[in-house]
Amino acid sequence: MDNRDEVREFLTSRRAKITPQQAGLPAGTRRRVPGLRRSEVATLADVSVDYYGKLERGNLAGVSPAVLESVARALQLDEVERAHLLHLAQAQEGSDTLARPRSRSSRQRTLPKSLQWALDAVTAGPAFVTNGRLDLLAANQLARAFFADIYDSDTEPPNMARFQFLAPTARRFYPDWDLIADMTVDVLRTEAGRNPHDKDLHDLVGELSTRSDAFRTRWGSHNVRRHGTGVKRFHHPVVGALTLAWHGSAVDDEPGLTLLIYTAEPGSPSEEALRLLASWTASHDDAAPADSL
């Protein structure tokens, strides 16, 4: 994930998505490129064609925030895309190296016990903590049962992106597999902009790009989105179909981590399914000591 390549491909992909009509420009004829020409973006951003060409070649060193904002407006970037462009510029300058806490490997990170206590206090739905690579770092009992196939992985820590793209059971677990796959790559791409020197993330992206055509195609799209809440459908191997609302929030005292909780509509079949899963999990846990005798 070379920074200049990231910048070049991100700007090029955004330029290709904007039509002349969307930008308020005449469409003309004999257009050889999808979307806008470089010269058109330069005009909209009020910079010279040569200068914009330098930016699109991946060189953001020394570029002022005002110019970045002008380029963002010309490319009609949304809030998350603007932030991604700023992160790419900061990473190239090195200005974020001191400002951002150093990324720690999930294999070395020890979470406070109080965070696990908080997760365990949630009993009505799966509650878990992930980092920007989508490693599952902590979970309550119901989340471990809910994501049993992910926890059965040979890798440590369990990783939701690796399950999404490499596990044969993922497409059954996620009935809306394509939608969830898009969201997964959005999260990883956003994290790559924030932490371009994260070796664990480099290794994960390299593995998924090599082993999954679906991941490689999505990764090449350079899409970034913020996913903080929503509704997902699942098909659990024990309790069947569920539709769950989910909400994610940052863990303030642990930078880079997100707490997610899945809940079911009160009185719905999904709520009953979660109760059944909780009961099934408790019965199996109670039986484990006897089985081991």
Side-chain angles (χ1 to χ4, degrees):
M1 293 182 291
D2 179 81
N3 180 269
R4 291 200 175 201
D5 289 343
E6 287 287 303
V7 172
R8 182 183 68 251
E9 293 169 11
F10 179 66
L11 290 178
T12 301
S13 67
R14 298 311 93 177
R15 176 163 61 87
K17 293 180 67 174
I18 304 298
T19 66
Q21 293 89 338
Q22 289 173 323
L25 299 173
T29 57
R30 301 173 62 86
R31 300 186 69 88
R32 294 181 296 174
V33 295
L36 298 180
R37 301 184 177 99
R38 282 186 180 180
S39 59
E40 292 170 331
V41 176
T43 299
L44 292 169
D46 196 25
V47 297
S48 70
V49 176
D50 287 343
Y51 189 79
Y52 180 73
K54 182 190 77 167
L55 303 185
E56 202 169 277
R57 288 192 296 273
N59 187 359
L60 295 183
V63 178
S64 70
V67 169
L68 290 174
E69 179 59 30
S70 294
V71 170
R73 283 198 303 270
L75 294 175
Q76 300 183 17
L77 303 186
D78 62 24
E79 179 184 349
V80 179
E81 291 169 327
R82 276 182 167 85
H84 185 64
L85 180 61
L86 181 60
H87 287 141
L88 292 174
Q90 289 173 335
Q92 197 164 114
E93 290 282 1
S95 60
D96 63 339
T97 303
L98 297 178
R100 187 174 58 223
R102 186 173 180 177
S103 178
R104 288 174 284 174
S105 170
S106 299
R107 298 168 183 83
Q108 302 171 348
R109 189 164 195 166
T110 301
L111 300 181
K113 292 181 179 179
S114 58
L115 183 55
Q116 184 63 58
W117 298 341
L119 292 173
D120 291 339
V122 180
T123 58
F128 54 101
V129 172
T130 68
N131 57 19
R133 296 183 294 270
L134 295 177
D135 294 324
L136 273 169
L137 302 182
N140 66 358
Q141 185 183 48
L142 191 50
R144 286 183 172 274
F146 190 75
F147 293 121
D149 284 351
I150 302 179
Y151 277 99
D152 283 344
S153 168
D154 293 333
T155 59
E156 187 64 33
N159 182 271
M160 302 181 78
R162 188 176 283 110
F163 172 77
Q164 173 79 42
F165 288 99
L166 302 183
T169 57
R171 289 183 181 269
R172 178 170 175 80
F173 184 68
Y174 297 113
D176 303 311
W177 187 91
D178 287 298
L179 174 63
I180 306 303
D182 290 343
M183 294 172 65
T184 297
V185 176
D186 289 349
V187 172
L188 295 183
R189 175 60 77 180
T190 301
E191 182 67 8
R194 283 195 298 256
N195 293 301
H197 307 299
D198 184 338
K199 183 181 182 302
D200 288 341
L201 180 59
H202 278 242
D203 292 345
L204 176 63
V205 170
E207 177 188 2
L208 296 181
S209 296
T210 300
R211 299 178 61 188
S212 170
D213 291 340
F215 177 86
R216 186 167 55 252
T217 299
R218 287 171 168 83
W219 186 255
S221 298
H222 287 263
N223 291 328
V224 289
R225 297 286 186 273
R226 179 177 292 121
H227 302 287
T229 187
V231 176
K232 293 181 182 179
R233 295 194 305 139
F234 303 92
H235 190 279
H236 192 273
V238 174
V239 297
L242 303 98
T243 299
L244 302 178
W246 63 277
H247 178 80
S249 57
V251 181
D252 291 339
D253 57 347
E254 291 289 330
L257 300 190
T258 301
L259 167 65
L260 296 106
I261 300 176
Y262 288 0
T263 56
E265 180 181 354
S268 67
S270 294
E271 183 184 45
E272 180 59 31
L274 283 181
R275 287 176 179 166
L276 178 61
L277 181 60
S279 176
W280 179 87
T281 303
S283 65
H284 277 65
D285 287 346
D286 291 342
D291 292 343
S292 62
L293 294 177

